[in-house]
Structure formats: structure tokens, C-alpha cells
Amino acid sequence: MAPPAVPAAAAGGVHLLGAGAIGLLVGAAFAEAGVPCTLLLRSAERLAALRAGGGAVTVERPGGAGATTVTLEGELAGGAGAPHIGRLVVATKANQAVDALAAVRHRLSRGSVVLLLQNGVLGVFSAAAALWPRPHDRPAFLLGSTTHGAFRKPGAPFTVVHASAGVGACVYGPPSTAALQAAAAAAAAAAAGQHAQRRSDAQQEPPADQQDQAVGEMLALLGRGLRSLHPQALDAGPLERELLHKLIVNCCANPLTALLHCRNRGLVGNAHVAALWRAVVGEAKAVLGERLPGSEEELFAKVDHVMTITGSNVNSMLQDTLARGGTEVNELNGWLAAEGAARGVPTPVNDLLVTLVRAREAACAARAAAAFNFSEGPRVKATPPGSRRNRSVEKRAESELRTIVRGLCGFNAKQLAAVSHLLPEEHLKQIRIAMDIPPTNQGRRRQEGLVVKLMRADAETLDLAKLGEAVAVAERNNLPFTDAAVEQQLSWWIEGLLEDRQEVVDELHQLLQESAQDWQQLRTWVRQVQQHRQQQEQQQQAQQAAAADGSSGSSAADDAVELLGPDVVAAAVDPEVVALMQELAQQRQQRPASRGGKRPKSESAAAASAARRSIRKLLKPMAVARSAGAP
């Protein structure tokens, strides 16, 4: 049973705006860490629904990691007479953040600290600052971003599935000088023509050192309260680099998945998409210049890498368009276009993407959202209300789902473990129950029906294509499924470690620290593999040098002396006998020493092989979780 909630008004508490997937994930992290957290809701209906469940918020973690239920306090965001807010986290979508913040503006003061946690947070910050035209009235702001992937469970408004548990991170810190200048310009524009009255209450304008103290306390609270989400406080410069890199990935990926109706994997390997990515990256570099670190080719490679390892994700902008909601395109590509216009730099591709996504928003708002089949099969659109249902299509989809479920329930433990990252824990639990029931038992069919019902309800969030592929592999070869995205991520990490690529070393060092894994042991394994590689290269070089310097006859003679002994070779004065001995020596050297036909590995090769297996075993859970995360 979840512990009772403590109001955020209590000492050390925080208020939270945003009851979506990321908002609930953040609120649950605070509650797990013992930090009082109050969820601010926009409507009385939502507040009543939260209270009807006793304030319970559940976080499910796929892959057998279990679920956690906590209790959050709730209140209306814009309630009259509501208390002052000292610490606020805004975890709404970017296109909703400013309106949500405006609803609680009267509860904030210069002594408050606000963390903005969105995609496109630089644009959100400028717009949010304009809510306080007078700088002396404005609260202190921190900017943040998260790489955690999460989605709300269908039919359960306060249950969130944490898809990237173990590998995501939250970064946050103060805005850079450039971001502060942009915010000041936006606030000045909002203040034009207004006559804001100076407040007489001295408490509304504390000295700067008091505001710095409040910011420091907020940073300490975030580090303590978000420890399950791997928080990292950064200085203004490194933080802006992180935010801009994430912005570029979002600008390349999000609009195109919404327009093309595909998962992230649908963008990879498409030459036309690649051309658009290069155009977006090129315009971003032209607009931001040195403010955006990395060459155009490096940024393009980063976008392609992120899309490959998160190929199974249903992008947030695609989800928004299907749900007939507004998107974050204004805060992403729109922000880049606005920055370009301010500097006189044309951004035609970003302008076009913004226009197309807005057109799609309008089209989706004018009709029922299309029900999209994310399998590799034909795309299926739901018929509009009042028209005839395509029962043949529904029947085929149901048959495909039952085939997948029947195959999953016939897996062995190793095969099921190989797809555990693709299924919620409740699905895995019910599949394991079916696995224990004999196939001829009537109870097996009933249990399979229950699994079908669960998967049908969550069909839009499941990667049915990969699950179907796993079933086909098991039926053909009786082997576990190999996830290409996971293998590519593992290969990227392992080769990066062996080549001492600094970005890979830094990334894995942080991930292992966050998951309490042994970094030094990993380094030991890596050194073993590197040493074996060096030995192989040296042997190859020596062999090549020997082949270049000596004749084949002299090399064979040397082998004969080494293998048969100098006395035996010297006694063979007949040239034909010497030639025969040399031939036998060569054959003996090339002959496998074991009866199984394989030459035994050297101690170095065996140690390197064991070390590589250990590296894979250590990194694979993180690669699995990374493949389920969302940019």
C-alpha cells in the first residue's frame, strides 16, 4: 500500500505542473525519494479522479522490473486563495507549458524557482519570461531536458509505463547568457505599451543573493528527489550544448514521423529523409553558428544513431496528431525558424515542416483520428463514425494478434527473456502462466485469450512487428529473438570502448555509475580484449614481414628444424628427403591439434573471448532499455 501523501506546502516540498507521462514519472520519483510533491491539475474532474484513487500514481517498468505505486497530493492549479508556490516543476508538453504557467502566475513571486522540463525548452523559456514583463517580478528559472521514455497506460490516467528505466537521464541547470538575452527581449516586447505598477511589498523583490540561495536549494532538492531518474546538474554552457543537440534530433525526427505515420525506424535508411535531415541540420548550423557544437556531418550522424537505437518508439508528435492534439512543432522547428528570421538567415526547410505539421494538426482536428496499425503489415484506418466497419480487416488483425500470442505462450524461458523488453510486466506475467499450462489443456486457451485481451488494449504501444518476428524465428529455428536495435547499440558501445572513443567512454561511465555497476571491472575486460587485438596485429605483421623477407623454401626449412630437430634434418642429405621432410613439417604445423577439427585457442584468445562475453552481459540490459527510450 502506498504511503500517504504530504502537501508540497510543507518544508522542502515541490509543486508539479503536468499530469502526462513525464509529469507522473517525475512526481513518482519525488514521492519515492520522500520529497513532498503536490500535483497541480487543470480541472476539477481530474482532481476528483486522482482523489477517487486515493492519490495513487503507479509506475510500471517493462522487462521484469516490476511496478511502484506512490501517493501524490493534488490541488487545482488556478484555485482562488491557493498558497504561494516556492518551487515549481513544469513537466507539460512544450506547447502547453506557457498556458499552464500562466494559470499559476499569481502564486509565484521573485522568490520562487521554476524548472522548465520540455522538448524545445529554450523557446519555452523565452515565451514564459514574457509572462512577467518586469524583471523584478519574475521568478528564477532553471532549464532542463530528459531522455526518459514513458507513456500513460490506456484506460489508466494515473499509471505510466517507464519504457527507458535504467538508461534515461535528466539534465538541468541555469540558462545561458544567450538564453537570458532572448528571454529579456521577449519580456521587453511584452512590456511595450504596458504600465506595470511597482509592487510595494518588499518580499516580492528579495535581494539577488536570496534568489541565488533559493536556486541552490532547488538544485539540491532536484538532485535528491530525482535520483531514480539519474539527475545531472550542469553549468549553463554544457547544459545549452545538451539542449541544442536534443533540439536538433527532435527537429529532424518529430515532424517527419508525424507526417509519414511511422515509427522512428521508418526514417532510417530512407534517402529522401536523410536529405531532409541534412537540410535541417545545415539550417540549424547557419542560424546558431558556434553556439551549436559539432560539424554538420557529426550532427547528422548523431540523429541517425538516435533514430536507429530508438527505432521501436512511437514518436510523441505522431501520438499527438493521432490524438487530435496540438504538437510541439512551434517550439522545435518553429523556434529555429524564428531565430533564423531574427538573424536574417533563411530556413526554408524548417518553415515548410512547420507549415505541413500545422496543416496536419488542422486536418486531424477536423475529423476522427486515424487508428494506425504499427505492424509491418498494411496500414489500416478506422472508418469514420456512421460508416460501415471493415470486418474483414478487423478479423485479419485479430487473427494476426492471436497467432502472435499463441507463439509467445509456446516460448521457452530463454526465448521469452529475449523479448521481455518489448512487453509490459503484466503481459509477461500472464504469458508465463500460459507457458506452465499444457497446450492440450482447455485452461491454456482461456489464458491465451486473456493475453490477447491485454495486448489488444495496448496495441498502439506494443511493437507487434518485432513480436511477430520473434515468433517466426522461434518457429523456424527454435532460437531466441535477436533485436537488431539492441545489437547495434551493443556494437556501438563495445567498439567505442575498444577504440577508446571518448564520447562512448563518458556515456558508459555515467550509465554504470547511475546503475551502481563496476566500472573498473568493465575497464579490465576491455583491456584484455585490446591486448589480444594488439597481439593478433603483431603476429600478422610478423608473418607478413617473414613472407616478404624469406622464400617459402627457407621458411619451410626453418619449420622442419623447429618441429623435427636439427640433427634429423642435417642427417637427411638426400635433397628429395629434405623436401619431403619440409612438406611434412608444414602439414604438421597446419594440422588441427584437437580431434574435433578446431585448433585450441591460446590462453590470450580464450581470456579475450570470455571478457567480450562479460562486456556484452553487463551492457545488454542498458542497450535493451535504451532501445525502448524516446528522444
Side-chain angles (χ1 to χ4, degrees):
M1 184 175 179
V6 179
V14 63
H15 286 79
L16 176 64
L17 263 175
I22 295 298
L24 293 177
L25 190 65
V26 169
F30 279 124
E32 283 187 84
V35 175
C37 180
T38 296
L39 193 60
L40 300 175
L41 298 165
R42 65 178 182 270
S43 68
E45 291 77 14
R46 290 276 284 166
L47 179 58
L50 177 67
R51 289 177 174 172
V57 172
T58 299
V59 178
E60 295 183 355
R61 299 174 179 86
T68 302
T69 299
V70 299
T71 303
L72 296 183
E73 186 74 14
E75 63 183 47
L76 286 177
H84 175 263
I85 295 176
R87 303 181 185 94
L88 177 66
V89 176
V90 183
T92 64
K93 284 188 174 293
N95 57 309
Q96 301 166 352
V98 176
D99 289 341
L101 196 55
V104 297
R105 177 175 47 180
H106 63 289
R107 301 177 60 181
L108 299 166
S109 69
R110 180 173 167 79
S112 304
V113 183
V114 178
L115 168 65
L116 299 174
L117 194 65
Q118 286 84 30
N119 288 332
V121 71
L122 294 171
V124 173
F125 174 47
S126 296
L131 295 173
W132 289 271
R134 285 174 50 84
H136 292 292
D137 297 334
R138 192 180 304 143
F141 279 92
L142 297 172
L143 309 185
S145 177
T146 179
T147 56
H148 284 279
F151 57 88
R152 281 192 299 181
K153 195 170 184 179
F158 297 104
T159 296
V160 60
V161 178
H162 188 190
S164 63
V167 296
C170 284
V171 296
Y172 49 81
S176 67
T177 301
L180 289 171
Q181 291 173 346
Q194 297 184 13
H195 301 283
Q197 296 182 352
R198 185 179 180 86
R199 298 184 181 181
S200 59
D201 187 354
Q203 292 184 354
Q204 298 291 337
E205 298 185 16
D209 58 347
Q210 291 186 19
Q211 193 174 58
D212 292 342
Q213 180 181 350
V215 170
E217 292 172 352
M218 179 68 161
L219 289 171
L221 179 142
L222 292 171
R224 184 175 74 255
L226 299 180
R227 60 175 177 260
S228 65
L229 301 181
H230 311 137
Q232 185 179 9
L234 300 177
D235 293 333
L239 175 68
E240 180 161 275
R241 287 194 291 273
E242 288 285 336
L243 296 179
L244 288 175
H245 278 165
K246 190 168 190 297
L247 174 76
I248 297 307
V249 173
N250 290 141
C251 285
C252 288
N254 294 23
L256 292 177
T257 56
L259 294 170
L260 301 179
H261 268 209
C262 65
R263 292 178 184 265
N264 289 352
R265 77 160 70 92
L267 304 180
V268 180
N270 185 321
H272 305 289
V273 168
L276 289 170
W277 285 353
R278 292 187 184 278
V280 170
V281 168
E283 291 179 5
K285 283 293 291 184
V287 170
L288 299 172
E290 294 303 316
R291 189 180 172 190
L292 176 62
S295 66
E296 291 185 25
E297 193 59 36
E298 289 171 339
L299 292 170
F300 173 83
K302 184 177 183 68
V303 172
D304 186 71
H305 173 64
V306 172
M307 290 300 96
T308 299
I309 65 175
T310 62
S312 62
N313 293 347
V314 181
N315 195 281
S316 61
M317 195 171 289
L318 173 57
Q319 294 183 52
D320 290 338
T321 55
L322 293 177
R324 293 179 293 168
T327 70
E328 298 173 327
V329 70
N330 288 344
E331 289 72 27
L332 299 176
N333 305 77
W335 182 80
L336 265 182
E339 291 289 304
R343 292 167 171 75
V345 178
T347 56
V349 175
N350 281 283
D351 291 336
L352 177 61
L353 289 175
V354 171
T355 301
L356 290 173
V357 173
R358 285 176 178 170
R360 173 136 190 85
E361 290 177 18
C364 289
R367 61 179 174 81
F372 185 76
N373 177 12
F374 288 107
S375 70
E376 299 294 340
R379 298 179 178 182
V380 180
K381 294 183 178 180
T383 52
S387 63
R388 296 181 59 186
R389 296 167 57 189
N390 191 334
R391 295 187 181 276
S392 64
V393 171
E394 293 178 358
K395 187 175 180 179
R396 183 170 64 250
E398 181 71 9
S399 175
E400 292 174 357
L401 179 59
R402 289 185 176 276
T403 299
I404 291 173
V405 169
R406 194 177 305 113
L408 292 173
C409 294
F411 276 7
N412 57 39
K414 189 174 182 179
Q415 291 168 337
L416 185 62
V419 296
S420 61
H421 62 290
L422 302 174
L423 293 163
E425 179 58 31
E426 181 60 25
H427 294 44
L428 291 170
K429 177 181 176 182
Q430 299 303 328
I431 290 172
R432 292 188 185 101
I433 293 174
M435 288 166 57
D436 292 336
I437 303 174
T440 57
N441 192 310
Q442 187 66 25
R444 171 71 168 260
R445 296 189 63 182
R446 288 195 295 268
Q447 186 64 24
E448 289 178 356
L450 175 59
V451 177
V452 168
K453 184 177 180 181
L454 287 173
M455 292 182 65
R456 186 190 301 121
D458 295 343
E460 289 193 358
T461 62
L462 295 176
D463 194 339
L464 295 179
K466 281 189 178 181
L467 291 173
E469 184 180 347
V471 169
V473 169
E475 290 178 348
R476 285 196 308 267
N477 306 318
N478 197 30
L479 293 174
F481 173 65
T482 299
D483 192 324
V486 172
E487 290 302 314
Q488 181 166 358
Q489 180 65 68
L490 276 174
S491 176
W492 170 268
W493 279 342
I494 292 173
E495 291 304 314
L497 286 171
L498 296 178
E499 296 171 7
D500 289 323
R501 291 201 295 265
Q502 193 59 43
E503 68 273 17
V504 175
V505 172
D506 292 344
E507 179 185 10
L508 288 174
H509 183 259
Q510 179 182 345
L511 290 176
L512 289 172
Q513 282 188 323
E514 292 167 351
S515 57
Q517 299 286 350
D518 192 342
W519 167 253
Q520 292 303 324
Q521 180 62 70
L522 175 63
R523 293 299 300 165
T524 300
W525 290 330
V526 170
R527 282 194 293 271
Q528 288 179 338
V529 180
Q530 289 173 329
Q531 289 170 0
H532 179 63
R533 278 190 171 186
Q534 291 172 357
Q535 291 175 2
Q536 286 184 315
E537 291 173 357
Q538 291 170 358
Q539 290 174 358
Q540 290 175 357
Q541 291 172 359
Q543 291 172 357
Q544 292 171 358
D549 294 340
S551 66
S552 60
S554 63
S555 175
D558 292 340
D559 290 339
V561 171
E562 180 180 355
L563 295 172
L564 302 178
D567 295 336
V568 175
V569 174
V573 294
D574 189 335
E576 294 183 3
V577 174
V578 172
L580 179 61
M581 285 184 174
Q582 291 172 348
E583 183 179 352
L584 290 172
Q586 287 181 323
Q587 292 177 357
R588 180 178 175 183
Q589 188 178 34
Q590 296 172 359
R591 185 182 303 138
S594 63
R595 295 188 178 181
K598 294 183 179 180
R599 300 187 68 180
K601 291 183 178 180
S602 66
E603 291 184 5
S604 173
S609 179
R612 183 179 281 272
R613 288 195 300 270
S614 298
I615 294 171
R616 283 182 58 86
K617 185 176 180 180
L618 177 65
L619 299 184
K620 188 170 183 178
M622 293 186 289
V624 166
R626 173 63 61 85
S627 72

